[in-house]
Amino acid sequence: MIEKMNLEHLLFLDIETVPEQENFNVLDAEMQSLWELKTQYQRKDEFTPEDFYERAGIWAEFGKIVCISVGYFTFKGDIRHFRVTSFFGAEKKILQDFSNLLNNHFNQPQHVLCGHNAKEFDIPFIARRMIINQIALPQKLNLFGKKPWEVPHLDTLELWKFGDYKHFTSLKLLTKILGIPSSKGDIDGSQVAHVFYVENDIDRIVIYCEKDVIAVAQVFLRLRREALLIDEEIKHI
């Protein structure tokens, strides 16, 4: 099926998230208590709620988005390009700009969103943060009442599972075994909060996020047994 999809109908995406506040102590007493309850199972007795707060970016209720990167294919005859751009700055503006992109350019029935583990993480996180920031959900994110086969989302992790729902393969591992050049730069996901809050270097985060978007597109091409993108075909806009 994926071999028959028009590449120009796909929007590849990735997000980077951090704890909503830099430090646990900035949270009010009620939020501290709610965080303690929310993470009790994951923490067990190994971490205090404060020590565990560095991981708050993986929960939309306690984290926020600092970057959304997207990429899409364009064709002029036999000439192929992959255009990559990012939204960053204040979270509400990030989400509004991304919503505008979906509403104005990727709002038709044939358009599909694609990411790695996006169905479990990126897309639900974006939707929840939009609700929190009182932004109307674009149609591509409003899944209420839709049957599974009506959901306009593709996930390279899900494609790689082949129905094995207990299986998880990271994007880094998948690119390695498929012979795709590494997408990772000088940071990894566990360092994003430090780079954001301590180093105040959003540019490094944007580069990291965009490399992941390119990697997802490369995985998708490999799954279709098509030629990988070369540097000359990738355009940052």
Side-chain angles (χ1 to χ4, degrees), residues 91 102 144 195 214 229:
E91 186 189 40
L102 294 186
F144 180 75
V195 173
I214 295 167
L229 290 163

Side-chain angles (χ1 to χ4, degrees), residues 221-234:
L221 289 173
R222 186 64 93 205
L223 291 173
R224 286 164 50 115
R225 304 180 308 284
E226 294 186 16
L228 295 177
L229 290 163
I230 59 175
D231 290 344
E232 291 75 15
E233 294 178 306
I234 300 171

